[in-house]
Amino acid sequence: MDKLQQLQDMISECDNIVFFGGAGVSTESGISDFRSVDGLYHQQYDYPPETILSHTFYRRNPEEFYRFYRNKMLCLDAEPNAAHKKLAELEAAGKLKAVVTQNIDGLHQKAGSKKVLELHGSVLRNYCERCGKFFDAEYILNSEGVPKCDDCGGSIKPDVVLYEEGLDQRTITESIEVISAADMLIIGGTSLVVYPAAGLVDYYRGNKLVLINKSVTSMDSKADLVISDSIGKVFRQIVV
C-alpha cells in the first residue's frame, strides 16, 4: 500500500485527530522557515535573528527589534495554503479536535480552524505593557520606531514568545491534554528541534503517529508512518 493511501485510511477511521505543526506548514504561504536553507537564519543582519528575537535584545534595543520584526515577522498578506485549509475541513467534519502550532502567523484561524493552540503566541495580538490595551498587527506595521499606546503612551509588545521567555502554561497544559487523548497524531512541517514545544509530542500514547516533513526528524524511528514531502502537497490529496 502506498503511503498516501495509508494516511487516507488512518484519517478515515479516526475521529480524534490532533495536528502538531511548525514553520514548514506556512512556507508554502510565503512565510520564511527559520531553519531551512533559504530561511531567516541564512540571511545577513547586524545580529542573528535568534539574538534579535530574544527578550534581552527586545529590552535593550527595542528600535532594532521592531525594525527586524516589521520587515520579517509581519507577513500580513500571506494566505492559508492547502494544509491550513484541509485541517479546517477535517475539524469541520468532526475528525480533527485541535491544531497545536509553533507558528505565530494566524493562518490556521484565517483558514477557518477554531481550536488552535498557539505555543509561541501570535503576531496578530499586541498589548500595551503599561495599561494592557490590545492592538492589532496593522497598528504595529503602520507605526514607527517602538509602537506606543494611543491611550497611555506605554510601549506595545507583541504577544509572541521570544527566546528566553517561557511558554504560556495554560496553552501547554491544554496541548498535553489533547495530544494525550488523541487516537491519531499528525506531525507536520517541523524538524522537532525547538523545545519545550517539540517535547509535547512525547505525550502521545496511540498507535497512529504520522510524520510529514521534508527533512528527517528525531521522531522518524518512532512514527507509524513517515512521509518525506511538503505538507501542502500531501494534504491536497486527502479526501475529507
Side-chain angles (χ1 to χ4, degrees):
M1 186 189 297
D2 78 331
K3 290 187 172 186
L4 196 67
Q5 186 59 51
Q6 210 177 330
L7 175 62
Q8 180 69 64
D9 290 347
M10 283 181 177
I11 289 173
S12 297
E13 63 192 50
C14 291
D15 59 4
N16 185 356
I17 304 168
V18 170
F19 178 81
F20 181 93
V25 179
S26 292
T27 48
E28 289 169 65
S29 295
I31 295 177
S32 285
D33 169 0
F34 275 30
R35 288 174 176 80
S36 66
V37 175
D38 53 355
L40 288 180
Y41 274 58
H42 296 267
Q43 299 172 11
Q44 297 305 306
Y45 294 93
D46 291 344
Y47 304 89
E50 210 153 30
T51 300
I52 298 174
L53 295 173
S54 69
H55 181 83
T56 301
F57 192 93
Y58 171 76
R59 290 290 173 223
R60 290 181 184 163
N61 307 281
E63 291 87 358
E64 185 64 13
F65 169 88
Y66 267 111
R67 194 166 71 84
F68 175 88
Y69 184 80
R70 286 189 190 92
N71 288 344
K72 292 292 168 190
M73 308 304 287
L74 290 180
C75 309
L76 304 186
D77 295 332
E79 290 296 329
N81 60 54
H84 297 108
K85 291 172 184 172
K86 193 66 70 174
L87 288 165
E89 283 178 42
L90 285 166
E91 184 187 41
K95 294 186 121 353
L96 185 85
K97 297 308 182 215
V99 168
V100 181
T101 181
Q102 300 173 81
N103 297 341
I104 57 175
D105 50 47
L107 288 179
H108 284 293
Q109 291 93 328
K110 203 170 183 179
S113 287
K114 302 283 187 284
K115 177 82 166 181
V116 183
L117 298 169
E118 296 172 311
L119 296 170
H120 297 150
S122 172
V123 298
L124 304 183
R125 298 187 299 268
N126 306 273
Y127 299 94
C128 171
E129 295 198 86
R130 189 182 295 164
C131 74
K133 183 176 177 180
F134 170 87
F135 292 89
D136 62 17
E138 281 77 10
Y139 187 92
I140 306 300
L141 191 61
N142 298 323
S143 62
E144 291 181 7
V146 180
K148 300 292 185 185
C149 175
D150 55 8
D151 270 359
C152 75
S155 297
I156 298 170
K157 184 178 186 291
D159 185 14
V160 167
V161 179
L162 301 175
Y163 291 102
E164 305 165 348
E165 292 181 343
L167 273 58
D168 177 69
Q169 201 54 51
R170 251 186 324 189
T171 307
I172 290 179
T173 302
E174 202 171 346
S175 299
I176 290 171
E177 285 173 0
V178 296
I179 289 170
S180 301
D183 56 11
M184 179 177 185
L185 177 64
I186 305 174
I187 301 172
T190 173
S191 46
L192 294 173
V193 294
V194 178
Y195 282 81
L200 294 175
V201 301
D202 292 335
Y203 287 92
Y204 177 62
R205 295 284 174 261
N207 61 357
K208 292 182 179 66
L209 176 61
V210 178
L211 263 162
I212 307 169
N213 197 52
K214 283 182 175 177
S215 58
V216 173
T217 79
S218 57
M219 289 288 286
D220 284 16
S221 60
K222 297 177 185 173
D224 300 290
L225 176 62
V226 178
I227 300 177
S228 303
D229 209 338
S230 88
I231 184 127
K233 184 177 166 189
V234 172
F235 269 40
R236 197 174 283 115
Q237 301 172 75
I238 293 299
V239 179
V240 178

